[in-house]
Amino acid sequence: MHEQLALLIIDMQNAMCSQTLPPRNNPAAEDNIARLQLAWRNAGQPLVFVRHISRSPTSVFAPGQHGATHQERFQPQPHEHVVEKNVPDAFINTGLERWLHARGLRRLVIAGVSTNNSVEATARTAGNLGFDVVVVSDACFTFDKQDFGGTWRSAEEVHLMALANLHDEYAQVRSTDEVLAALPDR
């Protein structure tokens, strides 16, 4: 029997489709996340859907807001685990670590948004906690961002730097095709 491999799909909520967000990279990310989701379901591997819920009542991520709900194609099935977080890191005050340990899950694959925020924060903590982590480079995306010196960086630059921050330190960075090729069969 193969060791189980949990897929964490982070913050694929309606607010991430807003036209008011800065330009983003990787327009194929959602298709790649959907490919991973389908493969995990077909292989009977555990899926974890992470959802950001803001503490601010005026946020698009506030409870009850359309932006806080999962995008239609990333709706969890009733038996799949949902983690609600209030900060970028999915391990902080959520019980995720305990849920994973209780099921003997030590290997994690992470996809979602945004690469330099919730994906990076979650992957760093997972690596620090001793999990074997893979971040799927083409199943994540982010947005243009101004650096600390005031220079605007493209979403692709921000994305690549976040992946560089993680690779070989907290996680391994792989493509969707590489991850799917290594996914154990049912």
Side-chain angles (χ1 to χ4, degrees):
M1 179 176 201
H2 293 286
E3 183 181 2
Q4 288 199 307
L5 185 62
L7 174 63
L8 277 65
I9 298 177
I10 298 180
D11 296 353
M12 293 306 297
Q13 295 162 255
N14 287 313
M16 294 302 177
C17 302
S18 172
Q19 297 299 313
T20 64
L21 292 168
R24 62 169 272 192
N25 73 319
N26 197 9
E30 287 88 348
D31 290 341
N32 288 326
I33 296 167
R35 288 174 57 209
L36 291 166
Q37 177 180 265
L38 179 62
W40 250 253
R41 286 175 174 161
N42 288 341
Q45 295 289 333
L47 272 92
V48 177
F49 292 84
V50 178
R51 184 168 84 125
H52 187 80
I53 298 298
S54 178
R55 294 180 181 130
S56 169
T58 60
S59 170
V60 294
F61 292 104
Q65 298 296 317
H66 175 71
T69 60
H70 290 99
Q71 293 176 27
E72 185 63 34
R73 79 196 284 197
F74 302 113
Q75 290 290 326
Q77 293 182 351
H79 65 282
E80 294 168 339
H81 190 57
V82 176
V83 171
E84 291 188 350
K85 63 182 181 60
N86 305 114
V87 297
D89 189 332
F91 284 94
I92 301 299
N93 298 321
T94 64
L96 175 59
E97 181 183 10
R98 182 177 45 244
W99 187 89
L100 293 166
H101 284 304
R103 287 151 185 80
L105 298 168
R106 301 295 309 150
R107 298 173 58 214
L108 309 178
V109 172
I110 299 176
V113 66
S114 61
T115 316
N116 62 305
N117 195 327
S118 295
V119 170
E120 186 173 357
T122 300
R124 283 175 179 261
T125 297
N128 284 334
L129 290 171
F131 289 96
D132 179 9
V133 182
V134 171
V135 174
V136 190
S137 61
D138 58 355
C140 297
F141 66 94
T142 194
F143 306 94
D144 288 3
K145 184 171 180 65
Q146 193 173 28
D147 71 20
F148 195 67
T151 302
W152 277 97
R153 303 295 178 173
S154 72
E156 188 64 10
E157 290 174 308
V158 174
H159 177 76
L160 292 173
M161 185 54 71
L163 295 175
N165 290 340
L166 295 171
H167 187 64
D168 285 337
E169 185 84 25
Y170 303 95
Q172 295 300 304
V173 177
R174 301 286 183 256
S175 70
T176 299
D177 288 342
E178 289 171 315
V179 169
L180 292 177
L183 182 64
D185 293 328
R186 202 174 246 227

